[in-house]
Amino acid sequence: QEEYFFEVAEAVFVGWFSFEYVIRFIAAPHKFLFVKGVMNVIDLLGILPYFMSLVLSLVTVTGTEKDEQTKYQSEMRRIAQIFRIMRILRIFKLARHITGLRTLGLTLQHSYKELGLLMLVVIMGMLIFSGMAYVGEK
């Protein structure tokens, strides 16, 4: 029952996002600039995995031969998992409407060099101390 609720909620949300995307595309004066926009690409990548997983589920269900269906079913499931992972891009869609996420995005954009240096220091520490732990356990 809970799984069914989430499937219905996802279908409703993706339907709404798709409707919004199509309306914005129709209303855009310059279609090429609309498609090329970064946030619009993120919106499309957030919507696309749902439809791709639907198509993949239809392909696996409508297989004519049992051997053919079992052969490609595992590959289709792997592809569907990749599309499900891409659903996380929907969070970036919210950045358009929530000022806190927009501010966070601008902060990350302006301080990417410092964050890169911080990540370098953290990764170096992890490498050094994991090597020491490995030697210490031997």
Side-chain angles (χ1 to χ4, degrees):
Q1 171 118 9
E2 184 176 323
E3 184 176 321
Y4 176 75
F5 171 76
F6 286 121
E7 289 176 4
V8 170
E10 181 181 20
V12 169
F13 293 145
V14 168
W16 178 257
F17 290 154
S18 302
F19 174 73
E20 177 197 13
Y21 187 81
V22 168
I23 294 298
R24 285 189 297 126
F25 179 75
I26 291 170
H30 304 287
K31 308 289 189 223
F32 182 71
L33 292 176
F34 176 82
V35 172
K36 217 170 101 173
V38 175
M39 288 303 289
N40 296 322
V41 170
I42 289 174
D43 290 348
L44 184 63
L45 289 176
I47 295 168
L48 197 62
Y50 179 77
F51 293 112
M52 292 302 292
S53 62
L54 279 179
V55 168
L56 288 175
S57 67
L58 287 175
V59 167
T60 57
V61 169
T62 60
T64 55
E65 298 178 8
K66 291 282 185 180
D67 295 334
E68 180 182 334
Q69 184 177 0
T70 56
K71 181 180 178 184
Y72 294 111
Q73 193 170 12
S74 64
E75 293 177 22
M76 293 296 180
R77 285 184 182 169
R78 289 181 187 168
I79 294 171
Q81 284 177 346
I82 292 170
F83 287 127
R84 287 185 189 121
I85 290 170
M86 286 177 57
R87 291 178 186 167
I88 196 71
L89 292 174
R90 292 182 194 157
I91 293 173
F92 294 116
K93 184 175 179 53
L94 296 175
R96 188 179 304 231
H97 306 291
I98 299 174
T99 57
L101 284 177
R102 194 177 317 143
T103 305
L104 178 65
L106 289 173
T107 304
L108 292 175
Q109 183 180 5
H110 290 299
S111 62
Y112 70 93
K113 290 180 183 177
E114 291 82 6
L115 287 173
L117 184 61
L118 176 67
M119 291 304 295
L120 178 68
V121 169
V122 168
I123 290 172
M124 290 301 294
M126 285 175 30
L127 288 174
I128 291 171
F129 288 111
S130 65
M132 289 173 58
Y134 178 75
V135 170
E137 287 179 359
K138 286 266 177 171

